[in-house]
mmCIF file of all heavy atoms in Angstrom:
data_model
loop_
_atom_site.group_PDB
_atom_site.id
_atom_site.type_symbol
_atom_site.label_atom_id
_atom_site.label_comp_id
_atom_site.label_asym_id
_atom_site.label_seq_id
_atom_site.Cartn_x
_atom_site.Cartn_y
_atom_site.Cartn_z
ATOM 1 N N SER D 295 -17.307 -58.774 20.446
ATOM 2 C CA SER D 295 -17.879 -60.120 20.553
ATOM 3 C C SER D 295 -18.945 -60.059 21.626
ATOM 4 O O SER D 295 -19.040 -59.062 22.352
ATOM 5 C CB SER D 295 -16.793 -61.152 20.903
ATOM 6 O OG SER D 295 -16.171 -60.836 22.136
ATOM 7 N N GLY D 297 -20.718 -59.583 24.696
ATOM 8 C CA GLY D 297 -20.297 -59.166 26.020
ATOM 9 C C GLY D 297 -18.969 -58.446 26.061
ATOM 10 O O GLY D 297 -18.497 -58.046 27.130
ATOM 11 N N ALA D 355 -9.737 -18.357 6.678
ATOM 12 C CA ALA D 355 -10.071 -19.414 5.733
ATOM 13 C C ALA D 355 -10.371 -18.790 4.373
ATOM 14 O O ALA D 355 -10.842 -17.651 4.284
ATOM 15 C CB ALA D 355 -11.283 -20.200 6.232
ATOM 16 N N PRO D 357 -12.790 -19.203 2.271
ATOM 17 C CA PRO D 357 -14.153 -18.696 2.044
ATOM 18 C C PRO D 357 -14.364 -17.274 2.551
ATOM 19 O O PRO D 357 -15.165 -16.529 1.996
ATOM 20 C CB PRO D 357 -15.029 -19.701 2.805
ATOM 21 C CG PRO D 357 -14.242 -20.974 2.775
ATOM 22 C CD PRO D 357 -12.811 -20.547 2.904
ATOM 23 N N TYR D 360 -12.994 -15.202 -0.272
ATOM 24 C CA TYR D 360 -13.843 -15.269 -1.462
ATOM 25 C C TYR D 360 -15.169 -14.536 -1.263
ATOM 26 O O TYR D 360 -15.783 -14.087 -2.233
ATOM 27 C CB TYR D 360 -14.112 -16.728 -1.821
ATOM 28 C CG TYR D 360 -12.956 -17.398 -2.524
ATOM 29 C CD1 TYR D 360 -12.253 -18.436 -1.917
ATOM 30 C CD2 TYR D 360 -12.574 -16.994 -3.796
ATOM 31 C CE1 TYR D 360 -11.192 -19.049 -2.565
ATOM 32 C CE2 TYR D 360 -11.511 -17.608 -4.447
ATOM 33 C CZ TYR D 360 -10.824 -18.633 -3.823
ATOM 34 O OH TYR D 360 -9.771 -19.225 -4.473
ATOM 35 N N LEU D 362 -15.609 -11.644 -0.082
ATOM 36 C CA LEU D 362 -15.450 -10.231 -0.432
ATOM 37 C C LEU D 362 -14.779 -10.039 -1.785
ATOM 38 O O LEU D 362 -15.036 -9.055 -2.480
ATOM 39 C CB LEU D 362 -14.641 -9.518 0.661
ATOM 40 C CG LEU D 362 -15.346 -9.370 2.004
ATOM 41 C CD1 LEU D 362 -14.405 -8.787 3.048
ATOM 42 C CD2 LEU D 362 -16.574 -8.488 1.871
ATOM 43 N N PRO D 367 -8.448 -11.649 -9.895
ATOM 44 C CA PRO D 367 -8.375 -10.337 -10.556
ATOM 45 C C PRO D 367 -9.094 -9.234 -9.779
ATOM 46 O O PRO D 367 -8.635 -8.085 -9.766
ATOM 47 C CB PRO D 367 -9.035 -10.583 -11.917
ATOM 48 C CG PRO D 367 -8.785 -12.028 -12.184
ATOM 49 C CD PRO D 367 -8.897 -12.692 -10.845
ATOM 50 N N GLU D 368 -10.203 -9.561 -9.124
ATOM 51 C CA GLU D 368 -10.912 -8.552 -8.326
ATOM 52 C C GLU D 368 -10.074 -8.130 -7.124
ATOM 53 O O GLU D 368 -10.037 -6.954 -6.757
ATOM 54 C CB GLU D 368 -12.262 -9.108 -7.875
ATOM 55 C CG GLU D 368 -13.280 -9.227 -8.988
ATOM 56 C CD GLU D 368 -14.577 -9.868 -8.530
ATOM 57 O OE1 GLU D 368 -15.463 -9.128 -8.061
ATOM 58 O OE2 GLU D 368 -14.700 -11.103 -8.642
ATOM 59 N N ARG D 387 0.628 15.554 -0.935
ATOM 60 C CA ARG D 387 0.982 16.152 0.363
ATOM 61 C C ARG D 387 2.430 16.624 0.384
ATOM 62 O O ARG D 387 2.769 17.597 1.066
ATOM 63 C CB ARG D 387 0.740 15.152 1.496
ATOM 64 C CG ARG D 387 -0.723 14.953 1.855
ATOM 65 C CD ARG D 387 -0.866 14.291 3.211
ATOM 66 N NE ARG D 387 -0.247 12.961 3.239
ATOM 67 C CZ ARG D 387 -0.895 11.835 2.946
ATOM 68 N NH1 ARG D 387 -2.164 11.881 2.570
ATOM 69 N NH2 ARG D 387 -0.283 10.675 3.014
ATOM 70 N N PRO D 398 12.216 28.454 -3.120
ATOM 71 C CA PRO D 398 11.755 27.357 -3.974
ATOM 72 C C PRO D 398 12.699 26.156 -3.987
ATOM 73 O O PRO D 398 12.251 25.009 -4.062
ATOM 74 C CB PRO D 398 11.642 27.994 -5.359
ATOM 75 C CG PRO D 398 11.413 29.437 -5.073
ATOM 76 C CD PRO D 398 12.235 29.724 -3.858
ATOM 77 N N GLU D 401 12.139 24.171 -0.864
ATOM 78 C CA GLU D 401 10.840 23.498 -0.961
ATOM 79 C C GLU D 401 10.949 22.250 -1.832
ATOM 80 O O GLU D 401 10.339 21.213 -1.526
ATOM 81 C CB GLU D 401 9.792 24.457 -1.541
ATOM 82 C CG GLU D 401 9.397 25.594 -0.618
ATOM 83 C CD GLU D 401 8.553 25.115 0.560
ATOM 84 O OE1 GLU D 401 8.018 23.995 0.504
ATOM 85 O OE2 GLU D 401 8.429 25.872 1.529
ATOM 86 N N ALA D 414 10.373 4.598 1.039
ATOM 87 C CA ALA D 414 11.079 3.705 1.964
ATOM 88 C C ALA D 414 10.149 3.137 3.024
ATOM 89 O O ALA D 414 10.322 1.996 3.470
ATOM 90 C CB ALA D 414 12.235 4.457 2.623
ATOM 91 N N PRO D 417 7.358 0.234 0.914
ATOM 92 C CA PRO D 417 7.939 -0.159 -0.377
ATOM 93 C C PRO D 417 6.989 -0.949 -1.260
ATOM 94 O O PRO D 417 7.039 -0.827 -2.484
ATOM 95 C CB PRO D 417 9.159 -0.991 0.032
ATOM 96 C CG PRO D 417 8.881 -1.430 1.441
ATOM 97 C CD PRO D 417 8.103 -0.322 2.050
ATOM 98 N N TYR D 449 3.449 19.864 -11.111
ATOM 99 C CA TYR D 449 4.826 20.236 -10.858
ATOM 100 C C TYR D 449 5.257 21.373 -11.778
ATOM 101 O O TYR D 449 5.977 22.296 -11.363
ATOM 102 C CB TYR D 449 5.758 19.035 -11.041
ATOM 103 C CG TYR D 449 7.189 19.380 -10.748
ATOM 104 C CD1 TYR D 449 7.598 19.631 -9.444
ATOM 105 C CD2 TYR D 449 8.109 19.531 -11.774
ATOM 106 C CE1 TYR D 449 8.902 19.994 -9.168
ATOM 107 C CE2 TYR D 449 9.410 19.894 -11.515
ATOM 108 C CZ TYR D 449 9.800 20.131 -10.213
ATOM 109 O OH TYR D 449 11.082 20.507 -9.940
ATOM 110 N N GLY D 462 16.074 31.810 -13.298
ATOM 111 C CA GLY D 462 16.572 30.564 -13.841
ATOM 112 C C GLY D 462 17.312 30.807 -15.133
ATOM 113 O O GLY D 462 17.469 31.958 -15.569
ATOM 114 N N GLU D 464 18.410 31.517 -18.800
ATOM 115 C CA GLU D 464 17.719 32.246 -19.860
ATOM 116 C C GLU D 464 17.249 31.292 -20.940
ATOM 117 O O GLU D 464 17.965 30.382 -21.354
ATOM 118 C CB GLU D 464 18.663 33.294 -20.476
ATOM 119 C CG GLU D 464 18.330 34.704 -20.026
ATOM 120 C CD GLU D 464 19.194 35.723 -20.742
ATOM 121 O OE1 GLU D 464 18.876 36.014 -21.916
ATOM 122 O OE2 GLU D 464 20.142 36.199 -20.121
ATOM 123 N N GLY D 477 11.025 12.619 -13.908
ATOM 124 C CA GLY D 477 11.684 11.350 -14.222
ATOM 125 C C GLY D 477 12.859 11.075 -13.300
ATOM 126 O O GLY D 477 13.082 9.924 -12.882
ATOM 127 N N ARG D 484 13.115 4.408 -7.424
ATOM 128 C CA ARG D 484 13.432 3.010 -7.754
ATOM 129 C C ARG D 484 14.734 2.568 -7.090
ATOM 130 O O ARG D 484 14.881 1.395 -6.714
ATOM 131 C CB ARG D 484 13.514 2.843 -9.277
ATOM 132 C CG ARG D 484 12.170 3.044 -9.975
ATOM 133 C CD ARG D 484 12.254 2.694 -11.454
ATOM 134 N NE ARG D 484 11.003 3.062 -12.115
ATOM 135 C CZ ARG D 484 10.840 4.125 -12.883
ATOM 136 N NH1 ARG D 484 11.854 4.940 -13.106
ATOM 137 N NH2 ARG D 484 9.665 4.385 -13.435
ATOM 138 N N PRO D 495 16.953 7.414 1.714
ATOM 139 C CA PRO D 495 16.599 8.774 1.290
ATOM 140 C C PRO D 495 17.615 9.825 1.706
ATOM 141 O O PRO D 495 17.919 10.747 0.928
ATOM 142 C CB PRO D 495 15.246 9.003 1.968
ATOM 143 C CG PRO D 495 14.660 7.639 2.084
ATOM 144 C CD PRO D 495 15.824 6.729 2.369
ATOM 145 N N GLU D 499 19.850 13.044 -0.669
ATOM 146 C CA GLU D 499 19.587 14.486 -0.564
ATOM 147 C C GLU D 499 20.620 15.290 -1.341
ATOM 148 O O GLU D 499 20.277 16.243 -2.058
ATOM 149 C CB GLU D 499 19.578 14.931 0.904
ATOM 150 C CG GLU D 499 19.343 16.427 1.045
ATOM 151 C CD GLU D 499 19.305 16.886 2.495
ATOM 152 O OE1 GLU D 499 19.342 16.023 3.397
ATOM 153 O OE2 GLU D 499 19.240 18.110 2.720
ATOM 154 N N VAL D 502 19.845 15.332 -4.981
ATOM 155 C CA VAL D 502 18.749 16.246 -5.312
ATOM 156 C C VAL D 502 19.268 17.679 -5.385
ATOM 157 O O VAL D 502 18.941 18.428 -6.304
ATOM 158 C CB VAL D 502 17.620 16.126 -4.274
ATOM 159 C CG1 VAL D 502 16.546 17.180 -4.535
ATOM 160 C CG2 VAL D 502 17.007 14.726 -4.306
ATOM 161 N N ARG D 513 20.474 35.455 -9.920
ATOM 162 C CA ARG D 513 21.531 36.233 -9.265
ATOM 163 C C ARG D 513 22.911 35.641 -9.479
ATOM 164 O O ARG D 513 23.934 36.307 -9.254
ATOM 165 C CB ARG D 513 21.257 36.316 -7.751
ATOM 166 C CG ARG D 513 21.266 34.980 -7.046
ATOM 167 C CD ARG D 513 21.032 35.150 -5.544
ATOM 168 N NE ARG D 513 20.944 33.900 -4.847
ATOM 169 C CZ ARG D 513 19.866 33.166 -4.700
ATOM 170 N NH1 ARG D 513 18.724 33.600 -5.235
ATOM 171 N NH2 ARG D 513 19.876 32.018 -4.041
#
Side-chain angles (χ1 to χ4, degrees):
S295 60
Y360 282 114
L362 291 174
E368 288 176 88
R387 285 197 299 269
E401 290 289 343
Y449 182 71
E464 255 185 78
R484 293 187 187 104
E499 179 179 354
V502 174
R513 63 178 176 274

